[in-house]
């Protein structure tokens, strides 16, 4: 509970109809969502002990109020409308943080009315900082359901507010500044036996009891550096706090065993215990790249299994479960009738299937093994590839999946590899044998979806695909490329095979070899796929999903290959992610093989980096939070595709660059695959190669090679395809806003 609801300019439009709708696709925990208030700022709605009423904080000028007041809503009296809100507070002063007493006949809340009938002014931002006021005039009162104040529970100089009652009816917890800092306190239900619970410097508040009344969950801003501490204390002297850095904590009701639950950064607040008392639901903007975007999340008490709950609108907060755990009430900006209004919503709560939560520890297990020195880089045809294939087969078998064909999960293929790809005159090709590892989940459905990734890598650079000079003999572990994608396929195989749902699609989990030598394994599988499984409607590929950058840039290719894909991809993306959408079904990885067989495709890719195709692509550089979120994203996409009545295959314009054109020269740079729109961004430069010799550096933006305009990686590759070894051309690039030109001799 909080001293200040986030304030907005609000407008009001009287509605007398019940608005009822089902959850949007991603909000699977929320069913039968109903809008309970209509206009203004409505927040901090909390259930009565019997779950039949709500008390809430309302600010609506059209109702004749100048600032927050406490109202009651009878949930047994639909349809809901503004005129059914019953005033509890007097309308004098400012009120906040109401909560039902155990008898269900009284409500406690904080108010400033004893000091002044007028509404105290809200704080103004300091140096652009958003601030909450901690009005020193707040005291906690108890009123009956007709609004009559029957008791004053606190009478101490300074802030006393944010009071809540334990489910067993014995204790009240609240926030007070009486010790000199904003700390949690408890008192007996009659206001006696006061006890300070927290002692750390910072704003401890918004507490709620666990359902067994043994624990408290709260949010806290804990300044650490000298500058943060000084800033916090200076603001507190002005009776304000900056609520932009808060984390979720728990403790026993006597203050012992205090634990920090979240370590997410930014503002994590409005926590409430899940009915099991093993999880916490809360509001957070940790994901946001532009500050104001609050969604509800669920997290385990040990800080694991973070799960996004809401997706609609940019403000969702103040969640509370009903006493029986079957309902959730919260405040949201969704379904606005006027700009910037906040309303209260209620929904049936549907618990998640725990088997559908991506497990970071399993992702790490798979990547750590596949990228270990023992496998020596998983070169197609090597002993390391065989060990990897055995490991992958064991995982599929443990999940109870069927072999794709035959009696085991291995699909062998033979091909010729030219050991010197730059030598088109002398034949240096040798015959090699690779192994795809493929499993099948039969849901008895009318359509099938392939989910794939390649597991091979460069080995000891025997096939000369490394971007590091003179690296033959060095192990290229390929943690990102592509142990990361393989771990995602294995997790999705577990989630789909072990969950309680029978999806509307069968799934083929395909792990390819030979990708680094030219998509060989996926081509082999795609040749006979439709003959064996004629109902395949889509292929979802993951190639390099392990190095999500701080901006959360993710590239999704193939969205133009089905008319339904773009909407699904945009609708299901995780909060805060920046998605680059590529139309083409053709690209430099395995989804291309399936698109060329008239199968709709999607490809997920976090971009290249300076370790691409080098021995330094190791497991310790993997962003596991990013991988987890992307696998969750692909899980939602795969479900959404399964739910489609039809998947309409569409031919796309195959940009020549996106087909990985054949070229005989190199600059020795690592390109950024994200389409920035202003040229090719250089992610890395190889030593003693043409770009480095010419003076091009990481961070430069190439805009022209010779007469070829460069807009992104594909036009860059198209330009290289036109150049012959030894040719010298001018290369134009931007560095720190300045355009420069150098001559590059291509080799």
């Amino acid at each position: 509970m909080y001293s200040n609801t986030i304030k907005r300019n609000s407008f009001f439009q009287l509605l007398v109809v019940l608005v009822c709708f089902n959850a949007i696709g991603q909000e699977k925990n929320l069913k039968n969502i109903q809008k309970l208030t209509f206009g203004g700022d409505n927040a901090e709605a909390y259930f009565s002990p019997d779950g039949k009423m709500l008390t809430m904080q309302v600010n609506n000028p059209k109702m004749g109020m100048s600032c927050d007041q406490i109202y009651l809503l009878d949930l047994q009296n639909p349809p809901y409308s503004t005129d059914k809100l019953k005033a509890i507070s007097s309308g004098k002063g400012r009120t906040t943080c109401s909560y039902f007493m155990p008898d269900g006949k009284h409500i406690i809340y904080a108010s400033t009315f004893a000091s002044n009938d007028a509404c105290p002014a809200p704080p103004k931002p300091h140096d652009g900082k958003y601030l909450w006021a901690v009005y020193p005039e707040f005291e906690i009162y108890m009123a009956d359901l007709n609004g009559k104040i029957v008791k004053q529970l606190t009478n101490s100089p300074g802030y006393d507010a944010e009071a809540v009652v334990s489910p067993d009816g014995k204790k009240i917890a609240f926030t007070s500044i009486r010790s000199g800092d904003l700390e949690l306190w408890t008192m007996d239900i009659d206001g006696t036996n006061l006890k300070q619970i927290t002692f750390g410097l910072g704003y401890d508040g918004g507490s709620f009891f666990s359902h067994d009344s043994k624990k408290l969950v709260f949010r806290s801003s804990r300044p650490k550096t000298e500058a943060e501490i000084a800033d916090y204390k200076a603001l507190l002297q002005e009776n304000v706090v900056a609520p932009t850095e808060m984390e979720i904590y728990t403790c026993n009701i006597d203050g012992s065993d205090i634990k920090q639950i979240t370590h997410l950064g930014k503002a994590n607040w409005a926590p409430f215990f899940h009915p099991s008392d093993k999880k916490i639901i809360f509001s957070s903007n940790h994901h946001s790249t532009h500050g104001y975007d609050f969604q509800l999340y669920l997290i385990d008490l040990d800080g694991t299994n973070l799960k996004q709950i809401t997706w609609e609108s940019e403000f969702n907060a103040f969640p509370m479960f009903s006493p029986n755990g079957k309902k959730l009430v919260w405040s949201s900006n969704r379904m606005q009738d006027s700009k910037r209004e906040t309303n209260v919503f209620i929904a049936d709560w549907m618990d998640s299937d725990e088997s559908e939560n991506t497990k970071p520890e399993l992702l790490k297990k798979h990547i750590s093994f596949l990228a270990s020195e023992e496998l020596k880089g998983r070169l197609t045809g090597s002993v390391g590839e065989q060990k990897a294939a055995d490991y992958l087969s064991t995982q599929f078998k443990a999940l109870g999946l069927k072999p794709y064909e035959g009696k085991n999960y291995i699909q062998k293929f033979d091909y010729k590899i030219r050991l010197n790809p730059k030598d088109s005159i002398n034949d240096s090709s040798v015959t090699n044998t690779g192994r795809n590892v493929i499993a099948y989940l039969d849901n008895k459905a009318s359509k099938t979806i392939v989910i794939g990734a390649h597991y091979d890598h460069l080995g000891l650079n025997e096939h000369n695909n490394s971007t590091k000079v003179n690296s033959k003999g060095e192990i290229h572990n390929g943690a990102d490329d592509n142990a990361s994608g393989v771990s995602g396929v294995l997790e999705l195989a577990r989630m789909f095979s072990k969950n309680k749902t029978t999806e509307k699609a069968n799934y083929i989990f395909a792990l390819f070899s030979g990708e680094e030598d030219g998509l060989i394994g996926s081509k082999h599988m795609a040749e006979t796929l439709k003959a064996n499984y004629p109902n395949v409607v889509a292929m979802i590929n993951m190639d390099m999903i392990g190095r999500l950058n701080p901006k959360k840039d993710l590239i999704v290719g193939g969205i133009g290959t089905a008319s339904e894909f773009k909407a699904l991809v945009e609708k299901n993306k995780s909060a805060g992610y920046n998605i680059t959408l590529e139309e083409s079904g053709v690209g430099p990885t395995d989804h291309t093989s399936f698109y060329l067989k008239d199968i709709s495709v999607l490809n997920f890719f976090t971009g290249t980096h300076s370790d691409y195709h080098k021995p330094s692509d190791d497991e310790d550089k993997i962003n596991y939070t990013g991988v987890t979120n992307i696998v969750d994203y692909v899980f939602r996409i795969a479900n959404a595709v399964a739910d489609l009545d039809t998947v309409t295959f569409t031919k796309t314009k195959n940009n020549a660059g996106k087909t990985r054109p054949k070229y005989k020269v190199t600059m020795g740079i690592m390109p950024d695959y994200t389409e920035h729109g202003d040229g090719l961004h250089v992610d890395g430069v190889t030593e003693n190669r043409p770009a480095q010799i010419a003076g091009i550096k990481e961070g430069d933006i190439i805009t022209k090679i010779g007469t070829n305009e460069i807009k992104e990686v594909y036009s860059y590759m198209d330009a290289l395809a036109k150049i012959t070894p030894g040719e010298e051309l001018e290369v134009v690039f931007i560095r720190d806003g300045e355009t420069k030109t150098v001559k590059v001799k291509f080799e």
Side-chain angles (χ1 to χ4, degrees):
M1 301 178 73
Y2 308 87
S3 60
N4 292 72
T5 305
I6 295 179
K7 300 295 185 280
R8 302 163 184 83
N9 293 323
S10 301
F11 298 90
F12 176 77
Q13 179 180 354
L14 180 62
L15 294 175
V16 294
V17 296
L18 169 67
V19 181
C20 179
F21 55 98
N22 288 324
I24 61 174
Q26 309 94 317
E27 295 183 335
K28 294 185 179 297
N29 297 96
L30 307 173
K31 187 178 180 181
N32 298 323
I33 299 174
Q34 297 180 52
K35 187 176 180 181
L36 300 180
T37 62
F38 303 88
D41 280 318
N42 306 267
E44 300 190 55
Y46 303 117
F47 284 99
S48 59
D50 61 7
K52 294 180 179 180
M53 293 181 286
L54 290 174
T55 178
M56 68 182 70
Q57 182 175 301
V58 177
N59 183 1
N60 194 331
K62 291 293 182 69
M63 294 171 64
M65 63 185 71
S66 57
C67 64
D68 299 333
Q69 297 295 324
I70 304 303
Y71 281 78
L72 181 72
L73 179 65
D74 184 357
L75 294 174
Q76 307 301 302
N77 187 26
Y80 307 115
S81 61
T82 301
D83 59 4
K84 290 186 178 180
L85 289 171
K86 180 181 179 181
I88 298 298
S89 59
S90 65
K92 299 177 181 179
R94 184 185 294 276
T95 64
T96 191
C97 305
S98 58
Y99 211 83
F100 274 95
M101 292 294 276
D103 61 6
K105 298 178 180 179
H106 294 85
I107 292 171
I108 56 175
Y109 63 90
S111 178
T112 65
F113 80 90
S115 175
N116 195 321
D117 286 355
C119 181
K124 295 181 180 179
H126 284 212
D127 300 323
K129 290 182 180 178
Y130 176 75
L131 300 176
W132 279 351
V134 286
Y135 298 107
E137 300 86 1
F138 268 134
E139 298 293 350
I140 300 172
Y141 300 88
M142 180 168 62
D144 64 23
L145 299 191
N146 291 316
K148 180 182 178 181
I149 293 178
V150 299
K151 189 172 186 177
Q152 182 172 344
L153 291 171
T154 62
N155 187 14
S156 173
Y159 182 80
D160 288 298
E162 309 177 35
V164 294
V165 181
S166 62
D168 64 10
K170 296 179 180 180
K171 292 284 185 182
I172 294 173
F174 64 105
T175 295
S176 177
I177 201 172
R178 62 187 64 205
S179 65
D181 190 23
L182 291 162
E183 306 286 4
L184 292 184
W185 288 68
T186 61
M187 56 183 167
D188 289 348
I189 199 70
D190 60 1
T192 63
N193 192 25
L194 271 74
K195 182 177 180 180
Q196 185 174 343
I197 299 302
T198 60
F199 296 86
L201 182 70
Y203 183 8
D204 296 339
S207 67
F208 289 94
F209 287 91
S210 58
H211 293 78
D212 61 10
S213 301
K214 294 180 179 180
K215 285 186 172 293
L216 287 168
V217 62
F218 60 99
R219 54 105 183 101
S220 178
S221 62
R222 293 288 175 92
K224 295 180 175 61
T225 67
E226 289 186 9
E228 289 172 344
I229 292 170
D231 188 45
Y232 171 75
K233 289 182 176 180
L235 289 174
L236 197 58
Q237 288 294 314
E238 300 180 36
N239 298 312
V240 293
V241 292
T244 53
E245 297 290 336
M246 300 185 290
E247 299 290 353
I248 306 300
Y249 288 75
T250 61
C251 67
N252 295 331
I253 60 169
D254 62 0
S256 62
D257 194 28
I258 188 168
K259 293 179 180 177
Q260 183 174 343
I261 306 302
T262 63
H263 297 81
L264 298 172
K266 296 190 180 180
N268 305 280
W269 58 300
F272 198 88
F273 279 101
H274 178 269
S276 68
D277 282 342
K278 296 179 180 179
K279 300 175 181 292
I280 296 164
I281 192 169
F282 65 101
S283 181
S284 177
N285 70 339
H286 76 275
H287 57 270
S288 177
T289 55
H290 59 274
Y292 185 79
D293 180 6
F294 288 91
Q295 302 298 335
L296 296 183
Y297 287 84
L298 199 67
I299 194 169
D300 288 356
L301 283 186
D302 62 1
T304 62
N305 292 325
L306 182 69
K307 180 181 177 64
Q308 187 175 339
I309 301 300
T310 59
W311 304 74
E312 181 71 14
S313 89
E314 289 195 334
F315 182 76
N316 294 274
F318 307 112
M320 182 194 188
F321 288 101
S322 61
N324 64 9
K326 294 183 179 180
K327 300 281 188 180
L328 184 80
V329 66
W330 80 104
S331 298
S332 177
N333 288 160
R334 66 185 66 204
M335 294 185 65
Q336 292 179 338
D337 295 306
S338 299
K339 289 183 178 181
R340 302 184 69 79
E341 69 180 33
T342 304
N343 287 296
V344 174
F345 293 81
I346 192 171
D348 297 333
W349 176 259
M350 312 298 291
D351 267 321
S352 301
D353 184 344
E354 291 297 321
S355 63
E356 293 184 351
N357 292 333
T358 302
K359 297 185 180 300
E361 65 271 20
L362 292 181
L363 295 171
K364 184 175 179 63
K365 170 190 170 185
H366 300 319
I367 294 175
S368 295
F369 176 76
L370 293 169
S372 65
E373 299 285 299
E374 177 186 348
L375 269 60
K376 297 187 183 300
R378 312 185 305 279
L379 183 75
T380 304
S382 70
V383 173
E385 182 223 34
Q386 177 69 68
K387 289 181 178 180
D390 291 343
Y391 175 85
L392 301 175
S393 295
T394 299
Q395 301 303 311
F396 283 154
K397 184 176 182 180
L399 295 174
L401 297 171
K402 297 179 180 180
Y404 168 74
E405 60 185 15
K407 296 182 179 180
N408 59 47
Y409 304 100
I410 304 297
Q411 183 189 57
K412 290 187 177 182
F413 56 90
D414 296 323
Y415 68 105
K416 286 190 174 183
I417 176 68
R418 195 169 65 190
L419 299 182
N420 186 357
K422 292 184 179 180
D423 188 350
S424 59
I425 299 175
N426 301 305
D427 186 7
S428 60
S429 62
V430 297
T431 300
N432 199 23
T433 298
R435 303 167 182 84
N436 291 332
V437 186
I438 315 173
Y440 178 61
L441 174 61
D442 188 359
N443 285 325
K444 310 298 182 185
S446 61
K447 56 179 171 287
T448 298
I449 298 169
V450 179
I451 301 177
H454 76 89
Y455 74 93
D456 65 305
H457 195 53
L458 308 187
L460 307 181
N461 195 28
E462 295 95 327
H463 294 178
N464 299 296
N465 288 320
S466 178
T467 59
K468 181 183 178 183
V469 178
N470 301 321
S471 61
K472 188 160 289 190
E474 294 185 54
I475 299 175
H476 292 62
N477 284 321
D480 184 27
D481 188 13
N482 184 34
S484 64
V486 174
S487 74
V489 174
L490 291 176
E491 261 298 85
L492 291 166
R494 180 192 63 78
M495 294 156 73
F496 279 118
S497 63
K498 296 302 181 183
N499 65 0
K500 299 173 184 177
T501 303
T502 301
E503 289 78 20
K504 297 178 182 178
N506 313 308
Y507 290 100
I508 296 172
F509 303 101
L511 300 171
F512 312 111
S513 193
E515 192 272 353
E516 302 290 6
D517 291 334
L519 318 185
I520 308 298
S522 58
K523 288 178 184 176
H524 179 79
M525 177 187 174
E527 286 294 332
T528 58
L529 176 62
K530 283 192 171 180
N532 296 331
Y533 294 86
N535 59 353
V536 170
V537 297
M539 190 274 174
I540 302 173
N541 191 56
M542 291 175 284
D543 192 353
M544 297 174 62
I545 60 170
R547 300 286 283 272
L548 188 73
N549 64 24
K551 294 181 180 179
K552 299 182 181 178
D553 292 322
L554 178 66
I555 301 162
V556 182
I559 65 159
T561 63
S563 58
E564 301 84 3
F565 279 177
K566 183 178 181 180
L568 293 183
V569 167
E570 292 179 334
K571 180 179 180 180
N572 284 281
K573 80 179 183 73
S574 298
Y577 274 59
N578 298 307
I579 309 295
T580 295
L581 301 179
E582 294 182 349
E583 294 276 340
S584 179
V586 176
T589 187
D590 292 302
H591 67 284
T592 299
S593 300
F594 298 87
Y595 168 77
L596 296 176
K597 297 298 181 181
D598 293 344
I599 296 171
S600 299
V601 297
L602 289 170
N603 181 62
F604 293 79
F605 174 48
T606 53
T608 53
H609 42 77
S610 59
D611 300 306
Y612 174 71
H613 277 200
K614 291 180 181 176
S616 53
D617 181 10
D618 288 324
E619 184 272 333
D620 61 351
K621 297 175 182 175
I622 295 295
N623 178 347
Y624 282 103
T625 299
V627 180
T628 300
N629 288 338
I630 292 167
V631 174
D632 280 337
Y633 184 19
V634 175
F635 180 75
R636 294 191 297 273
I637 293 291
N639 269 304
V641 175
D643 288 339
L644 292 173
D645 292 331
T646 58
V647 178
T648 308
F649 174 74
T650 306
K651 287 281 189 181
T652 61
K653 292 181 180 180
N654 294 335
N655 181 312
K658 298 191 180 187
T659 64
R660 188 185 258 180
K662 296 180 180 179
Y663 47 88
K664 300 177 182 179
V665 299
T666 179
M667 283 184 69
I669 68 167
M670 180 57 55
D672 179 352
Y673 278 76
T674 305
E675 294 189 19
H676 297 278
D678 57 351
L680 173 73
H681 288 229
V682 179
D683 263 1
V685 180
T686 304
E687 292 183 5
N688 299 318
R689 301 301 288 274
Q692 194 263 345
I693 293 170
I696 294 173
K697 298 179 180 180
E698 178 181 346
D700 290 343
I701 304 170
I702 297 173
T703 59
K704 195 172 185 179
I705 298 177
T707 59
N708 296 286
E709 300 290 336
I710 308 300
K711 297 179 180 179
E712 21 59 355
V713 67
Y714 305 109
S715 53
Y716 164 71
M717 291 191 291
D718 188 48
L720 292 187
K722 302 173 183 176
I723 302 170
T724 57
E727 190 172 353
E728 188 174 42
L729 294 173
E730 286 189 344
V731 174
V732 181
F733 62 91
I734 300 170
R735 178 183 297 164
D736 299 327
E738 182 181 351
T739 300
K740 298 177 178 290
T741 302
V742 296
K743 284 194 173 183
V744 175
K745 187 174 182 179
F746 292 85
E747 60 179 44

